[in-house]
Amino acid sequence: MSDRKSEVLVTPPGIAVWPKLFEPNRKFKPEGTYECTVRFDPNDPAWAEFMEKVNAIDAAGYAEALKETKKKVLKRVETFHPDTDRDTGEETGMMLMKTSMDALVSTKDGRSWEQRPVVIDAKKNIVKDLKVGSGSTVRVKVEIRPYHVPSAGVGVSRRLK
């Protein structure tokens, strides 16, 4: 996509699900990935406003991808997913949004650098030893950026900031 417009947003308060904010998850990538899935109440007006902004960026990216490919329809990659109960598999009525950040970034020209999310408390102090686990109430700063991968589809990435 030639002119991808990204926007940095802060989510409304939500519940963290298996966050990896201080030590990266190395299960699928040896370099590691910081990640946090957030569970939201879809009846919260702040959630509706946030979702509307994200969906607008997604729709603009989809329209641009359609123009570039000259196709009538492209596969969509959903940004938000319904939460399901672990035991029953039934939907809980809550919505999930996954966010992530690579611990090591490498560019095509050979440069690389390490990065990590900055965690701040309610008083806006940077913390390095705060216990943020499943069930913690969090707000996540995320860069929303449209993408189009022909084999995967069109969607928006949600990068931790």
Side-chain angles (χ1 to χ4, degrees):
M1 299 174 87
S2 59
D3 190 23
R4 290 185 266 185
K5 301 265 193 250
S6 66
E7 190 170 339
V8 176
L9 303 172
V10 176
T11 69
I15 305 299
V17 180
W18 300 108
K20 303 279 189 265
L21 299 172
F22 294 102
E23 187 65 35
N25 180 356
R26 297 182 194 282
K27 184 174 183 177
F28 301 108
K29 254 184 146 171
E31 303 84 20
T33 303
Y34 294 100
E35 50 198 37
C36 185
T37 298
V38 186
R39 181 183 298 125
F40 297 100
D41 179 355
N43 299 315
D44 179 2
W47 162 252
E49 184 181 327
F50 174 77
M51 189 174 71
E52 192 175 301
K53 288 177 184 177
V54 172
N55 286 340
I57 296 167
D58 188 17
Y62 185 80
E64 184 180 334
L66 282 176
K67 264 195 272 182
E68 286 180 1
T69 61
K70 297 182 172 94
K71 291 185 177 183
K72 292 184 182 193
V73 178
L74 293 169
K75 180 180 174 186
R76 301 292 300 245
V77 178
E78 294 299 322
T79 306
F80 308 106
H81 303 277
D83 185 27
T84 56
D85 184 275
R86 254 179 127 167
D87 298 325
T88 65
E90 294 180 20
E91 291 186 8
T92 65
M94 303 292 273
M95 295 299 290
L96 298 174
M97 181 182 76
K98 294 180 179 184
T99 63
S100 65
M101 167 193 281
D102 287 339
L104 179 67
V105 178
S106 299
T107 62
K108 291 178 183 176
D109 64 5
R111 293 180 297 136
S112 65
W113 64 89
E114 290 185 17
Q115 60 182 0
R116 66 180 52 242
V118 176
V119 179
I120 59 173
D121 63 15
K123 296 176 184 172
K124 299 188 179 178
N125 297 314
I126 295 175
V127 292
K128 295 184 188 318
D129 59 352
L130 185 68
K131 298 263 186 202
V132 180
S134 285
S136 296
T137 299
V138 297
R139 295 182 74 199
V140 179
K141 189 175 190 179
V142 10
E143 178 185 17
I144 306 293
R145 185 180 183 99
Y147 68 83
H148 174 220
V149 176
S151 61
V154 179
V156 291
S157 64
R158 296 150 321 266
R159 295 184 187 134
L160 281 170
K161 284 295 183 189

